[in-house]
């Protein structure tokens, strides 16, 4: 059965198969590139918002004379930021955010 099928394969068929595989790989690469295009901007925006929250809570605490809560607020927000960035790094290193389509 396989010999009969292999005998029917013409060079044009092989060329078409190779072109289809090339197009599939180019599409896969383009999808991965599109997914990663805005990723640095999103991470930067999240870090900037976290920094602004720290500044806002610090200013709020000082404005109302509650300077004793500055350190716990900064510690909590810094821990959340570090945990998020660490989780992002672990996921990226394990390939969960990358191109894993088959």
């Amino acid at each position: 059965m396989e010999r009969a099928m292999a005998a029917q394969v013409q060079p044009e068929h092989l060329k078409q198969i190779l072109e289809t595989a090339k197009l599939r790989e180019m599409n896969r690469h383009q999808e991965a590139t599109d997914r990663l295009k805005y990723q640095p901007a999103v991470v930067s925006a999240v870090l900037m918002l976290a920094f602004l929250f720290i500044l806002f809570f610090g200013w709020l605490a000082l404005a109302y004379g509650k300077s004793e809560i500055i350190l716990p607020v900064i510690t909590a927000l810094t821990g959340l930021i570090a945990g998020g960035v660490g989780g992002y790094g672990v996921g990226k290193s394990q390939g969960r955010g990358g191109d894993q389509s088959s």
Side-chain angles (χ1 to χ4, degrees):
M1 178 80 174
E2 290 179 21
R3 285 186 182 181
M5 199 180 286
Q8 294 177 355
V9 175
Q10 301 295 319
E12 295 85 26
H13 296 136
L14 292 175
K15 185 177 179 182
Q16 185 178 9
I17 290 169
L18 291 174
E19 286 177 8
T20 303
K22 181 180 177 182
L23 284 173
R24 185 180 305 133
E25 193 60 36
M26 287 174 57
N27 286 339
R28 195 177 288 165
H29 173 73
Q30 186 63 37
E31 288 172 2
T33 303
D34 289 344
R35 266 196 313 265
L36 297 176
K37 184 185 284 186
Y38 297 108
Q39 195 169 10
V42 170
V43 171
S44 298
V46 168
L47 289 175
M48 183 62 75
L49 282 173
F51 179 71
L52 290 175
F53 273 126
I54 290 173
L55 284 179
F56 174 73
F57 281 120
W59 170 80
L60 195 62
L62 290 176
Y64 287 101
K66 301 285 186 179
S67 59
E68 65 274 0
I69 66 167
I70 292 177
L71 187 59
V73 168
I74 291 176
T75 303
L77 288 175
T78 304
L80 286 172
I81 295 166
V85 171
Y88 168 79
V90 168
K92 186 134 179 97
S93 71
Q94 293 180 354
R96 292 187 184 149
D99 183 23
Q100 291 206 340
S101 57
S102 50

